């Protein structure tokens, strides 16, 4: 749109078209739970990733037992975006999963209206830090259990109990590889953020 278009539209009686409202969401969770995959599945642009090869040293620190084919890891953040409708555009920021990169979280999360914590039920303890972070910062969030190979190890109520999240925190199953599934999970986070803003 050129700078003169709004003036021309007003002169001809056409309604000015506003750009979509930008909304920042964070996708968090432990190492290898599907954060980069989720951003890549939904983003309408080529996602920005900061993937680095897993070295022998990192392999000794990061548990690869449940992700033996994983050869890279996020070392700063992932970024993508998706236009939900003409009025709303989501900007997605994926956090690094390893605890040693936790110092970046405050910068990544600043300005976010909500978060999606992705969980692998085979290793629930990997997501405690993300749940604690959002609770401590009082940022609305939802827990999304990633159905690896279409299977989850525990029921949603067992996950809720293990994570000790309140009844007000949605816990759902999704597939980080499927665009529609990721979209639905993000919409749940948006609903949480909206409900918090109206409270």
């Amino acid at each position: 749109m050129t700078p003169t278009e709004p003036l021309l539209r007003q002169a001809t009686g056409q309604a000015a078209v506003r750009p979509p409202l930008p909304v920042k969401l964070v996708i968090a969770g432990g190492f290898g739970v599907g954060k980069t995959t989720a951003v890549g599945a939904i983003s309408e642009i080529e996602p920005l990733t900061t993937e680095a090869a897993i070295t022998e040293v990192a392999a000794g620190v990061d548990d690869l037992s449940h992700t033996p084919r994983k050869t890279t890891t996020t070392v700063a953040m992932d970024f993508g975006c998706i236009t939900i409708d003409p009025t709303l555009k989501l900007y997605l920021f994926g956090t690094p999963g390893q605890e040693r990169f936790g110092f970046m979280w405050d910068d990544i999360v600043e300005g976010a209206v909500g978060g999606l914590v992705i969980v692998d039920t085979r290793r629930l303890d990997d997501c405690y830090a993300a749940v604690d972070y959002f609770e401590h910062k009082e940022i609305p969030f939802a827990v999304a259990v990633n159905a690896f190979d279409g299977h989850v190890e525990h029921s949603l109520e067992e996950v809720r109990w293990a994570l000790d999240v309140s009844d007000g925190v949605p816990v759902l199953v999704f597939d980080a590889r499927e665009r529609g599934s990721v979209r639905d999970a993000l919409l749940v986070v948006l609903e949480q953020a909206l409900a918090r803003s109206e409270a």
Side-chain angles (χ1 to χ4, degrees):
M1 178 182 298
T2 67
T4 58
E5 275 188 42
L7 297 175
L8 290 172
R9 286 182 177 171
Q10 289 173 11
T12 60
Q14 291 179 325
V17 177
R18 294 185 178 187
L21 178 70
V23 174
K24 180 178 181 180
L25 294 182
V26 174
I27 298 178
F31 171 74
V33 296
K35 300 180 298 294
T36 300
T37 301
V39 172
I42 191 84
S43 182
E44 64 193 14
I45 63 169
E46 184 69 27
L48 167 68
T49 62
T50 55
E51 294 283 289
I54 296 175
T55 63
E56 288 185 19
V57 173
V61 176
D62 301 320
D63 181 8
L64 299 174
S65 59
H66 293 290
T67 55
R69 295 186 299 273
K70 187 170 177 61
T71 59
T72 62
T73 186
T74 301
V75 294
M77 69 172 189
D78 299 314
F79 172 77
C81 62
I82 178 69
T83 303
I84 297 298
D85 63 34
T87 67
L88 186 65
K89 187 168 189 172
L90 302 184
Y91 291 88
L92 310 173
F93 291 78
T95 65
Q98 299 93 322
E99 195 172 321
R100 63 184 179 275
F101 296 124
F103 66 91
M104 300 179 194
W105 276 49
D106 284 343
D107 289 331
I108 294 172
V109 172
E110 184 176 359
V113 300
L116 182 69
V117 177
I118 301 179
V119 172
D120 179 349
T121 55
R122 300 169 297 182
R123 45 200 175 97
L124 285 171
D125 54 333
D126 286 358
C127 72
Y128 290 154
V131 169
D132 289 346
Y133 185 90
F134 287 117
E135 287 180 338
H136 178 71
K137 295 287 186 178
E138 298 184 345
I139 297 172
F141 71 99
V143 173
V145 176
N146 196 358
F148 286 91
D149 301 318
H151 179 71
V152 294
E153 295 287 326
H154 304 285
S155 72
L156 295 184
E157 282 311 308
E158 289 172 327
V159 171
R160 180 182 298 283
W161 177 85
L163 298 181
D164 193 27
V165 293
S166 71
D167 290 341
V169 175
V171 180
L172 53 111
V173 175
F174 90 131
D175 188 330
R177 301 165 299 180
E178 295 186 5
R179 181 182 180 88
S181 187
V182 176
R183 180 205 58 222
D184 291 347
L186 294 174
L187 290 177
V188 169
V189 176
L190 276 178
E191 289 173 4
Q192 286 296 101
L194 183 59
R196 177 76 63 89
S197 69
E198 293 176 343

